[in-house]
Amino acid sequence: MGSSLGVILLPTVVSIFWFATFGMTAMEVFNTKAPNLIDLPTEQVLFGVFEHLPMGAMLSVVAMVVVAIFFITSADSATFVLGMQTTNGSLNPDFRIKLIWGVLQAAIASSLLFSGGLAALQNAAIIVAFPFSMIILLMIVALYKSLMEERLELGLHIRPKAQVEEMIKKELAKQDD
């Protein structure tokens, strides 16, 4: 229980600290030192803020390391999940399967970045995610139907409040007799 709570709380607290600290810092830098931050592309704004801070170069290196760790961890998780899915749910997919998925992911991401930059990568992510959102909607419908079937099998009924109160009164009257 304690470790799972830590896994949930620690990233949340770190994210709150990160966004509060650097968000307010960016607003302060924008208002006082560098109103041209707004002209920078989104992916360069953080480094534009760091230019105006003490030890900005070191902060830029730390930010790049953190981003690299995020991407590496995400890619590793993705290759693991894809490896599990392509080996019929194996909890320990073969290294070669994960390597193939890793190379494919890197090739797709690289080709998208080189062909159209970050915008192409973002557009591809949206295009790929759209059919999945339809699947999610169908899963919601299926879950609703399944829950309604289970409710009927268990003999559970949704009754208005007045009807429930009437049933309680009848039951109490029976007990008094």
Side-chain angles (χ1 to χ4, degrees):
M1 174 72 177
S3 66
S4 61
L5 190 60
V7 169
I8 293 170
L9 289 180
L10 184 64
T12 304
V13 170
V14 170
S15 295
I16 289 170
F17 175 77
W18 175 271
F19 287 111
T21 302
F22 288 108
M24 287 304 298
T25 302
M27 287 192 280
E28 188 64 29
V29 168
F30 174 75
N31 289 331
T32 60
K33 299 177 184 176
N36 63 342
L37 280 179
I38 200 158
D39 298 330
L40 293 175
T42 305
E43 59 271 11
Q44 293 179 10
V45 172
L46 179 66
F47 300 103
V49 170
F50 287 162
E51 284 179 11
H52 298 282
L53 296 178
M55 297 189 303
M58 185 183 78
L59 287 171
S60 294
V61 170
V62 169
M64 287 188 288
V65 168
V66 168
V67 169
I69 289 170
F70 167 75
F71 278 113
I72 291 167
T73 304
S74 297
D76 181 52
S77 298
T79 56
F80 181 74
V81 169
L82 288 168
M84 282 178 35
Q85 290 176 342
T86 53
T87 56
N88 297 322
S90 169
L91 294 179
N92 192 13
D94 188 45
F95 175 76
R96 292 176 294 167
I97 299 291
K98 292 191 295 186
L99 181 65
I100 290 168
W101 278 115
V103 169
L104 285 171
Q105 285 179 12
I108 292 168
S110 298
S111 66
L112 286 170
L113 280 173
F114 289 124
S115 68
L118 185 60
L121 191 58
Q122 289 171 335
N123 289 336
I126 290 168
I127 291 168
V128 170
F130 182 72
F132 185 69
S133 64
M134 294 301 125
I135 292 170
I136 295 290
L137 290 175
L138 292 173
M139 289 172 61
I140 291 170
V141 171
L143 175 64
Y144 177 79
K145 286 182 176 181
S146 177
L147 290 174
M148 291 302 108
E149 287 175 15
E150 184 175 347
R151 179 181 62 88
L152 293 175
E153 287 175 10
L154 294 174
L156 303 173
H157 301 287
I158 301 172
R159 295 190 176 119
K161 186 177 177 183
Q163 191 177 4
V164 171
E165 288 174 354
E166 184 65 33
M167 288 174 52
I168 292 172
K169 288 178 186 176
K170 285 181 183 177
E171 194 62 35
L172 289 173
K174 284 181 189 176
Q175 289 177 1
D176 288 342
D177 294 338

